[in-house]
Amino acid sequence: MSVPNDHQTSHPKNLAYKGQLICPYCQYSFPLTWHRYWAAPLGSYRCPQCKKLSHLKANSVWVFPILVIGIIFIFGIPSLALAYISNNFLAGAAFFVISSLGIVIPIDKWLDGHLRRLQIRSQ
Ligand SMILES: [Zn+2]
């Protein structure tokens, strides 16, 4: 398989995938790893450089209705079909919850690293 050469070969693909957080105190940028994501369920991240705590700006209110509607369309219909065909509501519900979380969590992490910005926490 040949990869076409484009003009952006210097772009760091790994970093682009993980996303990047920028410390509002010292401007140090660090990749958002899964470890950091799981350690910060409320969106608070500690800078590895200056050790200060900052939090993600919650500016994504519009994201959640879109996600919810999308999930209902993408997974709700097959879940209902599964529940109907197997005559097992629990199987359909379990399929819906597992498949939804499997999509929402990576999307949420991606948003953290790409669209949201760390801010100084006002005490
Ligand atoms: Zn810092």
Side-chain angles (χ1 to χ4, degrees):
M1 203 172 90
S2 65
V3 178
N5 289 325
D6 60 10
H7 298 290
Q8 295 187 331
T9 46
S10 62
H11 198 69
K13 284 198 166 71
N14 192 33
L15 208 60
Y17 171 74
K18 279 182 179 168
Q20 228 183 149
L21 297 171
I22 296 167
C23 173
Y25 295 96
C26 66
Q27 305 303 315
Y28 180 78
S29 63
F30 50 100
L32 174 60
T33 58
W34 277 109
H35 177 79
R36 279 204 186 94
Y37 179 76
W38 289 118
L42 298 176
S44 293
Y45 292 92
R46 191 175 292 280
C47 171
Q49 175 92 343
C50 67
K51 312 293 182 198
K52 284 179 179 166
L53 204 63
S54 48
H55 71 114
L56 285 171
K57 189 184 175 187
N59 62 346
S60 56
V61 181
W62 56 271
V63 171
F64 289 101
I66 293 171
L67 274 180
V68 168
I69 291 166
I71 285 160
I72 288 170
F73 269 100
I74 295 167
F75 297 111
I77 293 164
S79 301
L80 278 176
L82 182 71
Y84 181 76
I85 292 165
S86 65
N87 202 18
N88 187 343
F89 176 77
L90 273 179
F95 175 79
F96 182 71
V97 169
I98 291 166
S99 54
S100 302
L101 287 179
I103 290 295
V104 165
I105 290 172
I107 289 175
D108 186 59
K109 178 182 178 292
W110 190 90
L111 289 172
D112 273 8
H114 290 82
L115 296 184
R116 295 172 190 157
R117 288 178 182 280
L118 282 175
Q119 288 197 325
I120 294 168
R121 182 181 287 280
S122 49
Q123 299 288 352

